[in-house]
Amino acid sequence: VDVWCEDLLDQLPETPVPPVATEIVAVRDLDLVDDDAWPQALAMLARPPLRDALTQPVRVLLPDGTTQSVRPYTAWWLRDHPVLDGRRPAGLRSAGGDPILAGLYDAVDATGFDDAQVLRALGVRTSVAALLDEPGGAAELLGRLADEDRPVTPVQLHALYTALAELDPDQVTLPDELRAVVDGEVTVVDAADAVIADAPDVLPLTEGLPLLPVAPSRAAELAELLQVRRLGETIEAGVTSEGEEHRVPDSVRVLLGPATPDTYIEHPELRAGGVELDWRRTQDGVVHASTL
C-alpha cells in the first residue's frame, strides 16, 4: 500500500497539506493467490461486491477542496503482476480488441473473460478510445508509435492520428519523435521534421517528406496538438500551365456538396511545382484539373 500511495502522490499536485482519500475499497493479500488460480480469482473480482475494488476510482480530496480520481489499489496491484494468462496485464492488448492497436501492444488471450471494464482496469488495451480516455494514455500511445520495433501500417497510423487530433492539447506532452509515412514507408522521424498531410493534391511533390496521415477534417487540430507544420503551408506549388475556366456540372455539385466551387480551370497538362499533377487547389481556393 505504501508504494501505491507514493505512486498516487507523484500524480497529484504538490500541496502543503497531504491529500486525503475519503474512502478506499480494496482486496488484500492478493499475493497469496496461487498462480494457477488467477482465472477463478479474476472472475470473482469481476463480480459484486469485489468489483468496485477493481473498477471504481478512489476519490482524493485536495487541500483546496477539489477532488481528483485515482486508480484503486486493487487494480494498481494487479496491473503489475502475472495474473492474466501468466502475464502482467498492463500494456497488453485484448486479442479480440481494437485492431487499430495491433502491433503496438502484444496480444493476450482473454477468452472467457471479455468484461471490457475489468480488462481496462487491469491495464489491458481494448480500444483506442479507452486508451486515450485514461490519464497518460496519449503519452503512452505516442511513446509506442515512436518505437520502431512496433509495426504500424499507414491505415492504422491514419486512424490513430485522427483519434489523437480530438484531444485537448493540454492533455498531451509534445513528443521528440513521431511515426510518419515517408515515400510510402512507415518510419520514426524527429517531430520537428514531420508534416501534416492535409493537401492531397500536392502529394506527388512530397518525396522524402515525413507525412502524418489524418482525416482532412482533423488536420488543423492535429497540427495544433503536435505543433508541427501542415503540408499545404509547406509546399510551394504555384500553377504554371495555362488552362480554361469551366463551370462545375450540376451533377458534380450534387455529389460533392455545397462546398463545391462554381467553376474550375481545366488544363491539357496541369503543372505545378515543376511536376505534372492531376489536380491542384491553390491558396485562393481556385481548383485546377488536368484533362483526363
Side-chain angles (χ1 to χ4, degrees):
V1 175
D2 290 345
V3 179
W4 173 65
C5 290
E6 291 174 4
D7 279 358
L8 297 191
L9 288 174
D10 288 341
Q11 300 172 32
L12 298 172
E14 291 188 14
T15 57
V17 178
V20 176
T22 55
E23 181 180 5
I24 296 177
V25 179
V27 178
R28 58 179 293 180
D29 297 330
L30 291 171
D31 55 320
L32 300 181
V33 176
D34 187 272
D35 290 344
D36 295 331
W38 274 113
Q40 297 94 320
L42 289 176
M44 292 176 63
L45 289 168
R47 296 193 298 267
L50 301 180
R51 183 184 180 89
D52 283 353
L54 182 59
T55 61
Q56 291 301 311
V58 173
R59 191 170 68 169
V60 176
L61 178 64
L62 301 178
D64 62 1
T66 61
T67 61
Q68 286 196 26
S69 294
V70 297
R71 184 172 296 125
Y73 168 78
T74 305
W76 171 86
W77 191 94
L78 290 170
R79 282 178 171 227
D80 199 39
H81 289 79
V83 302
L84 190 62
D85 196 27
R87 303 160 74 182
R88 292 178 175 84
L92 297 176
R93 179 182 70 89
S94 172
D98 195 337
I100 299 300
L101 294 175
L104 291 173
Y105 293 86
D106 296 333
V108 63
D109 184 4
T111 302
F113 191 73
D114 55 358
D115 189 318
Q117 188 178 15
V118 171
L119 287 173
R120 182 176 175 182
L122 292 174
V124 176
R125 301 313 180 195
T126 57
S127 70
V128 176
L131 170 61
L132 295 181
D133 191 47
E134 185 168 310
E140 179 180 307
L141 177 57
L142 288 168
R144 288 180 178 257
L145 284 173
D147 184 349
E148 192 82 70
D149 293 332
R150 297 188 179 276
V152 181
T153 67
V155 172
Q156 282 179 274
L157 201 57
H158 182 281
L160 291 168
Y161 278 134
T162 299
L164 280 164
E166 298 182 14
L167 299 180
D168 186 328
D170 291 338
Q171 296 178 255
V172 179
T173 300
L174 296 179
D176 294 325
E177 295 180 315
L178 291 166
R179 193 75 67 103
V181 180
V182 182
D183 298 335
E185 298 293 327
V186 179
T187 188
V188 175
V189 301
D190 287 340
D193 297 331
V195 178
I196 303 294
D198 68 334
D201 52 336
V202 295
L203 286 178
L205 296 167
T206 60
E207 181 178 355
L209 272 181
L211 303 175
L212 307 186
V214 64
S217 61
R218 292 293 181 183
E221 288 87 348
L222 187 64
E224 174 67 21
L225 181 80
L226 299 178
Q227 293 295 293
V228 297
R229 299 168 296 159
R230 296 171 62 177
L231 181 60
E233 302 167 347
T234 303
I235 294 290
E236 293 290 338
V239 174
T240 56
S241 56
E242 296 293 329
E244 182 178 346
E245 185 177 59
H246 296 277
R247 288 196 60 80
V248 175
D250 290 340
S251 57
V252 174
R253 294 180 58 80
V254 170
L255 179 65
L256 298 182
T260 308
D262 293 329
T263 62
Y264 72 101
I265 308 297
E266 182 180 7
H267 298 248
E269 183 180 282
L270 172 60
R271 297 193 65 82
V275 302
E276 185 176 351
L277 300 178
D278 291 330
W279 66 288
R280 174 80 174 107
R281 181 168 186 163
T282 51
Q283 292 185 353
D284 57 6
V286 176
V287 175
H288 300 257
S290 179
T291 302
L292 296 177

